Amino acid sequence: MRDNTLSLTIWFSLHPVISSYPVHKIAQPVVFLPGTLCDERVFMPCWQYLDIPYQAYVPLQWAEDLSQMLALGADRLDYFDSPVHVVGFSMGGYIAALLALQNPIKIASLTLIGNTCQALPDAKLIERKNLLKALQQGQYKGMSDTQILTMLHEQDTDRAAIIGIIREMEQDLGIATLASQMKATNQRKNLIPQLAKSTFTCHFVAGEHDQLASPSQLKATQQQIPDSTLEIIAAAGHMLPLEQPKVLADHLAKTLNQ
């Protein structure tokens, strides 16, 4: 995997951290989990605005099934002696919620970006079943431009660089990783009843134009979980960490430092 991709280089050249963009410090440990066909590159633009001395990343792309994903997450929790803030994006949000529910005494808070923690609807399951079939038959050629654009806000000023990062992650992680992640997360359970009884605080975050985890869905979810919070971020779609990294960093610093 490339350590310094062209698209990230372009992104950072467009968004330098300057004096008017303060870097927020988060003192408690934070563990990050990425989405489908994503790696740490999905968080890197956001991380440039954060100073987290005790930080870990869960490489879900290493896992072949759900149990391995959870084992990798539990391993990262064990890095720290104090409770951990867990932040999961998209698919990683669902894994983060499972991880938190399995290890409640180790969790300071749970932040879910673009994930409702509900079971997948039948239409989405059929879509994923067809995708898995295409993957197994060697017919999948990667995400189309149309598919990528549905995950982005239509007025993203850095659209070309963001699309480049998405395509580079897809190319580097590959078809085998996509197939494993699809199989591992197809049969999702509705975790809302369990989260409603949890001892840790849940924070929900999404872009206002997220078509995979819409603000209305998240509002309905958040209302079922006592003491949870919901933040809808303007001018962003599903790929919020790449589209509005500074705004997301500001929000994480505010909620995780409480």
Side-chain angles (χ1 to χ4, degrees), residues 29 77-84 105-106:
L77 293 182
D78 288 342
Y79 283 6
F80 309 106
D81 295 327
S82 57
V84 175
I105 64 172
K106 298 182 179 181

Side-chain angles (χ1 to χ4, degrees), residues 222-243:
Q222 183 262 331
Q223 289 176 340
Q224 299 178 64
I225 300 176
D227 301 320
S228 62
T229 70
L230 172 62
E231 182 76 7
I232 303 301
I233 294 179
H238 187 64
M239 299 304 292
L240 171 61
L242 294 175
E243 296 176 279

Side-chain angles (χ1 to χ4, degrees), residues 141-231:
K141 304 302 180 183
M143 285 184 286
S144 67
D145 291 342
T146 300
Q147 288 173 311
I148 292 178
L149 291 177
T150 62
M151 296 190 290
L152 303 177
H153 184 267
E154 61 182 9
Q155 296 181 353
D156 282 332
T157 57
D158 306 324
R159 177 175 289 192
I162 293 171
I163 291 173
I165 296 170
I166 294 170
R167 289 211 177 280
E168 286 166 355
M169 291 190 294
E170 179 185 39
Q171 179 180 348
D172 289 347
L173 272 61
I175 289 175
T177 297
L178 176 58
S180 294
Q181 292 182 341
M182 298 284 286
K183 291 177 184 177
T185 61
N186 268 351
Q187 300 303 318
R188 302 183 190 184
K189 298 179 181 179
N190 180 3
L191 301 180
I192 296 174
Q194 292 173 266
L195 291 173
K197 300 176 182 178
S198 65
T199 55
F200 48 81
T201 302
C202 296
H203 304 293
F204 294 91
V205 190
E208 65 174 340
H209 295 284
D210 193 327
Q211 297 184 38
L212 300 182
S214 70
S216 60
Q217 289 176 309
L218 284 169
K219 184 176 181 181
T221 296
Q222 183 262 331
Q223 289 176 340
Q224 299 178 64
I225 300 176
D227 301 320
S228 62
T229 70
L230 172 62
E231 182 76 7

Side-chain angles (χ1 to χ4, degrees), residues 86-99:
V86 179
V87 178
F89 165 62
S90 195
M91 176 196 74
Y94 184 78
I95 305 304
L98 285 175
L99 181 67

